[in-house]
Amino acid sequence: MDNNAGSQDCLRTQDCTLSAPPHTHNLGLLRQGLMRTAQRRGTATAMATTVEDEVEAPEPGDGPRLGFVGAGMMATAMVNGIVASKVTEPDNVFVSAPHRSSLDRFAKLGVRTSDINLEVASGSDVVVVAVKPDVVPAVLREIAPHLRKDALVVSIAAGIPLAVLEQLAPGKRVVRVMPNTPCLVSEGATGFSMGSLATDEDRDTVHALMGAVGLAVEVKEALLDGLTGVSGSGPAYIYVLIEALADGGVRMGLPRAMAIRLAAQTVKGAAEMVLETGEHPAVLKDNVCSPGGLTIAAIESLEKNGFRSAAMQAVIAVASKSIEMRNAEEEKRTK
Ligand SMILES: NC(=O)C1=CN([C@@H]2O[C@H](COP(=O)(O)OP(=O)(O)OC[C@H]3O[C@@H](n4cnc5c(N)ncnc54)[C@H](O)[C@@H]3O)[C@@H](O)[C@H]2O)C=CC1
Ligand SMILES: O=C(O)[C@@H]1CCC=N1
């Protein structure tokens, strides 16, 4: 992968496509993709013809409808990000879950909610399956017969392969998406893989939808396990790092709240440096380490304590579990 990718608008390699950062052409793409969907359905009021075309944000009630089946952490992050990005009106978003209590936070955003999955299934152009992986089969069997003829099914479940999703939703266009919780603040990192019936238009729609809430990368399905290890689960490792850095600061006398803010801003700043300069992280690390200075002593300590290996093993642990889940699902499918 090109280390300079962050400074480019778009980079296509054999295995993946990197999109530009959010708030650039992705909004146009999302609108374009979603408006196309709406036009097919006969409800579009405006139509973008090129990615660069500026189109008015859809009026409430117009435009394609995004449904979420499942109202947990990841649905919350995606819906908040999508609503904040203003790519669609809140009342075009429809969320279902069995317990009303988990829907309250969605209702506060102005999105429509229901405790009946079939209402979301039959009323949405793009249906995001956002339940735990072990619930996916039951949910897809329940909703598949009630999906709109042209509906696109997007699964965000870890470890459930496209072949299984397609078997559970026969004849439907399916895309597998692996987002992460920073979608909530429009700084997500998402990978996605296209199902066998999914079209270029669906690619644009998903690319634009997830690009509106962060970075969106298309990968071959086999790479989704490793991608989950890096970015799907990655925020959790970074929170542990922030907490640990803050603990170190507190140990040295900094007030807790200040230490957390300093640690979080340091992570954010370092990440921005990687994305914006396109430099290899090793170069940026070297720039902090003055010869004979303080930081190189910290690097020595991190290496002695297996920091680098611990981070790699974390990614591999997630990927291995994801592969295990995928294999078990494949086995059930082919039995
Ligand atoms: N949490 C994360 O950081 C990420 C999660 N994912 C995937 O997202 C999916 C959801 O994960 P979370 O949001 O973390 O889980 P969660 O446990 O927070 O949410 C699951 C939601 O599904 C609902 N639910 C349970 N049974 C249902 C049914 N029969 N019909 C409709 N809704 C039902 C629950 O009420 C709950 O709202 C999982 O498949 C996970 O692999 C993917 C990437 C990141
Ligand atoms: O922990 C999990 O299973 C989900 C998938 C990736 C992040 N959270």
Side-chain angles (χ1 to χ4, degrees), residues 132 158 178 228 232-233:
K132 289 284 183 199
M178 178 47 61
T228 305
S233 302

Side-chain angles (χ1 to χ4, degrees), residues 3-4 6-7 265-281 283-285 287-288:
N3 288 321
N4 212 26
S7 63
Q265 178 61 34
T266 300
V267 167
K268 183 181 173 189
E272 287 290 344
M273 288 282 282
V274 173
L275 292 170
E276 286 190 18
T277 66
E279 287 286 6
H280 192 287
V283 172
L284 297 169
K285 179 264 290 172
N287 292 345
V288 190

